[in-house]
Amino acid sequence: MNLVSPQPAGLTRVLTHCGTAAAGRLSREAGDLMYEMISYRDYVEMYDKEGSRRVISYRLKFSFSAIYPDSSLVELGDFERVSKRYVRELRKGERDVYQDALTIITKAEDLASLTLKGVIHTFLNWLAMNDYSLPYSKRKRLLSRFTGVTPITEEMELDRKMIQRICSVLPEWCQSLAIVLAGSGMRIGEATSFEIKDIDLSVSPARIYLKASYTKNKKARMVLITEEAKQEVIKMIGDRTAGQVFLKNQNTFNYHWIRAMRALNIPKSHFVDRYMIHPHMLRKWFLSEFSLVASRDIAEMLAGHSGYLSDSYRRYSTKTIVSEFLKAESAITVFPGIEKLDASAAFEAAEA
C-alpha cells in the first residue's frame, strides 16, 4: 500500500528550492514543461560546501543500500540510477515510504542515533523535494524514535599549555591557523575561506569581515582577532596582495592535526572514532576563556552562533564589542609573551 500522495511539481517550485543548476531535468510533454525529478546527484549538488555534499551523499547512499540490498546498481555504486528507480516505483505505487524508512532504521544497528536521525531526515527531505511527503502523523511517529537523543561526548581538557604543545608539533602554517582559530572563535571552514581583501589590519584589534558565503549559517559578520593572530595572518599573507590568506584547506589541516594527536599520544574516544582533542575545541576554548573575563553574549556573537547574531548587533555598538574583546584578549592569546617552539623540528622529533 502506498502511503504517499504524488503531486506534480511546477517549474516555479523547482527554481525556488533548487536553483537552475540542480533543478532536475525538464522535458517537454504534451506541449507543457513537466518536472521529472530531483535525482541523487541533483540533490547532493544543491549544497555549496564540499563537506555538506559528502554528508548528504553518504546519507542517501546508506538509505538506498538499505532499501535495495541486493541491487546490482548499488553494488556498482550507481546511486543516480538507483534514485531514479525509487521515484519511478513510488509513482507507480510500488513503494511504501514509511516501511522503507523503518527498513533503513533496522539496517543501521552500527550507526550512532544522531547519525541515523540525519540519514532519515535527508531521505525524507529528498523525497519532499520530489513532492512525495509522508503524512504528518507518520513522519512524527518515525522521528519520535529519536526524541531526546543527544551525542555522547568524551573530550580531554584543553587549556593553554595543551594548545602550545599541539602547536609545537604542527607544521608552521597549521600552527598559524590554530592560533587564529583560538584567537577569533572562527570555524575552520570560515578561517580557510576569507581573503586578503576581507581583512582590515589598520585598526586594533584587526578585523575580518566574513561574507555570508564563508559562514556555516550564511550570515555575514565581523570577527576580531588578537594581536598574536594578526601577526600570524601577516606572516601567511607575505608579499601577496590577493587571494585566500590560508592557501591550504580544512582537510589538509585536519590531516596534520591527526598526526599531531598521534605524536602526542592523545587517546581516542571510546564512543566515536575521534581523538579526544579535536580542532573544534579551539573554538570552545575561545568561548569559555573569553566568557570568564568579558561578555559571553559578545563572545557568542563573534564566534557566529546564529541565535546571538542579529540581536547582539542591535544591542551592542562596535565600540562596546571592541572594548569587551580587549578585556579578553590576553585570556585568548596562546603564547602570551612566550617564544613559540620551532614547530618543524619538534614535529620531526615527535615522529622519529
Side-chain angles (χ1 to χ4, degrees):
M1 176 181 178
N2 186 14
L3 297 178
V4 294
S5 301
Q7 300 174 353
L11 177 60
T12 301
R13 178 196 171 282
V14 176
L15 297 179
T16 299
H17 287 279
C18 306
T20 55
R25 291 162 180 78
L26 295 171
S27 63
R28 187 170 294 277
E29 296 179 8
D32 295 320
L33 278 174
M34 299 296 292
Y35 168 54
E36 288 188 351
M37 67 171 293
I38 301 293
S39 68
Y40 157 80
R41 185 186 302 120
D42 293 329
Y43 190 68
V44 171
E45 290 177 355
M46 287 168 54
Y47 292 82
D48 297 329
K49 295 185 179 296
E50 180 184 348
S52 299
R53 289 196 293 268
R54 283 199 305 270
V55 171
I56 296 302
S57 174
Y58 165 78
R59 290 173 177 176
L60 287 179
K61 286 179 179 179
F62 186 94
S63 300
F64 294 136
S65 298
I67 295 168
Y68 298 112
D70 301 319
S71 170
S72 60
L73 293 177
V74 169
E75 291 179 5
L76 292 171
D78 192 349
F79 291 96
E80 179 72 2
R81 290 174 65 188
V82 173
S83 68
K84 293 178 180 179
R85 171 184 170 181
Y86 189 89
V87 173
R88 282 198 306 271
E89 293 176 355
L90 198 56
R91 288 175 175 172
K92 293 177 182 178
E94 297 172 357
R95 298 244 53 106
D96 183 327
V97 172
Y98 184 73
Q99 289 300 322
D100 286 339
L102 290 178
T103 298
I104 295 170
I105 292 172
T106 58
K107 297 289 180 66
E109 295 178 353
D110 296 332
L111 291 187
S113 295
L114 283 181
T115 303
L116 177 55
K117 183 178 181 180
V119 169
I120 296 298
H121 264 296
T122 296
F123 177 65
L124 295 181
N125 289 343
W126 169 70
L127 288 173
M129 293 301 291
N130 282 292
D131 279 330
Y132 289 88
S133 299
L134 276 178
Y136 174 77
S137 59
K138 293 187 178 296
R139 184 182 178 98
K140 185 175 181 180
R141 189 188 313 165
L142 196 63
L143 296 178
S144 66
R145 292 167 172 261
F146 306 104
T147 301
V149 172
T150 56
I152 300 174
T153 57
E154 188 180 20
E155 298 174 344
M156 289 179 61
E157 180 182 358
L158 183 66
D159 56 18
R160 179 181 279 119
K161 287 186 177 180
M162 178 56 75
I163 298 175
Q164 291 172 357
R165 286 185 64 203
I166 293 169
C167 284
S168 74
V169 293
L170 285 172
E172 186 174 19
W173 76 269
C174 291
Q175 183 180 140
S176 295
L177 179 53
I179 289 171
V180 170
L181 294 173
S184 68
M186 282 188 287
R187 300 174 178 89
I188 304 178
E190 295 168 345
T192 54
S193 296
F194 74 86
E195 300 182 8
I196 295 171
K197 64 182 180 181
D198 301 319
I199 311 168
D200 185 354
L201 298 173
S202 66
V203 294
S204 182
R207 302 174 188 180
I208 299 172
Y209 296 93
L210 295 178
K211 298 176 182 176
S213 59
Y214 300 162
T215 67
K216 179 180 179 180
N217 50 31
K218 301 302 180 186
K219 292 183 179 180
R221 74 178 192 276
M222 176 187 72
V223 171
L224 304 180
I225 60 174
T226 60
E227 179 63 27
E228 174 188 51
K230 173 183 174 180
Q231 296 306 316
E232 298 300 324
V233 166
I234 291 172
K235 182 168 63 178
M236 289 297 101
I237 293 173
D239 58 1
R240 293 183 294 125
T241 57
Q244 291 175 311
V245 171
F246 291 96
L247 297 176
K248 298 182 182 179
N249 62 25
Q250 178 177 344
N251 291 337
T252 308
F253 178 80
N254 287 336
Y255 166 77
H256 287 292
W257 184 277
I258 290 172
R259 291 187 71 196
M261 295 301 100
R262 291 172 183 161
L264 295 172
N265 294 316
I266 303 299
K268 282 191 172 184
S269 168
H270 294 90
F271 304 107
V272 293
D273 185 22
R274 185 174 72 178
Y275 285 96
M276 291 172 67
I277 297 179
H278 49 88
H280 188 69
M281 291 175 67
L282 293 170
R283 177 175 161 86
K284 293 182 179 180
W285 182 78
F286 167 88
L287 287 167
S288 61
E289 296 300 312
F290 191 114
S291 302
L292 287 174
V293 293
S295 166
R296 181 169 185 85
D297 277 2
I298 289 178
E300 298 278 0
M301 181 202 71
L302 290 171
H305 280 171
S306 56
Y308 289 82
L309 284 176
S310 58
D311 184 49
S312 293
Y313 274 125
R314 285 195 300 268
R315 195 187 325 160
Y316 300 111
S317 65
T318 300
K319 182 178 179 180
T320 301
I321 294 169
V322 168
S323 175
E324 290 297 304
F325 184 87
L326 291 174
K327 283 183 190 177
E329 183 169 10
S330 61
I332 55 176
T333 297
V334 176
F335 291 92
I338 303 173
E339 286 293 324
K340 295 193 294 294
L341 299 175
D342 183 336
S344 58
F347 188 75
E348 289 172 4
E351 288 285 287

